[in-house]
Amino acid sequence: MKWERGRAYKRADIVRELGGGPGYLPVADGRVVAGLFDPAENAVTHLSGAIDVFPKVLSQGAKILKPEALLPVFLKFNTEDWRYMGVYRLAKLEKGARALEQARKEIGREDIAVVLRFEPAK
């Protein structure tokens, strides 16, 4: 399927097309197949196009994601409205105290396990 930037998709349709299951980095056949981020819960978008994700737990997908992997990324706007943002790659995974403290201030939540920065693929 060719994804259209800005178009709304249902999560079930995304999973049916790409595989994977629950979580913000669903895995199928041992690889991460997409980024599914919820700005109301764990993601901050930047004017540069970068997306910072502040999950409560370090998921299996985050543990196996390789920086060179290119992922279709979707942001949740409401229950059945996931908007395609484009193809992204993992630019940084930070677990240090300084990064976590900065993230806590930025998002206003204490339960952050890791900071993941995704940037648009070139």
Side-chain angles (χ1 to χ4, degrees):
M1 171 182 280
K2 182 169 169 51
W3 306 105
E4 293 178 42
R5 189 180 309 260
R7 181 173 170 205
Y9 296 90
K10 293 181 179 179
R11 184 175 176 124
D13 295 334
I14 297 166
V15 171
R16 186 172 28 261
E17 183 69 26
L18 298 174
Y24 59 94
L25 292 169
V27 175
D29 299 322
R31 68 178 186 84
V32 178
V33 295
L36 297 162
F37 310 131
D38 184 349
E41 290 285 322
N42 64 7
V44 173
T45 58
H46 300 277
L47 291 176
S48 67
I51 299 172
D52 289 341
V53 180
F54 309 112
K56 295 177 183 179
V57 297
L58 185 61
S59 71
Q60 181 62 28
K63 291 175 186 174
I64 66 169
L65 184 60
K66 297 186 178 3
E68 65 273 9
L70 300 178
L71 299 176
V73 167
F74 299 82
L75 292 180
K76 184 177 183 178
F77 280 74
N78 67 46
T79 304
E80 288 299 327
D81 183 352
W82 291 82
R83 304 278 171 97
Y84 176 65
M85 305 307 292
V87 176
Y88 281 70
R89 67 173 187 78
L90 178 65
K92 278 187 196 173
L93 184 151
E94 296 182 291
K95 295 188 270 184
R98 183 182 218 175
L100 293 177
E101 183 57 35
Q102 183 178 354
R104 288 179 185 114
K105 288 178 183 174
E106 185 172 353
I107 203 165
R109 218 182 68 223
E110 292 296 316
D111 57 349
I112 297 171
V114 65
V115 177
L116 302 165
R117 167 150 298 196
F118 291 87
E119 293 180 346
K122 304 241 186 247

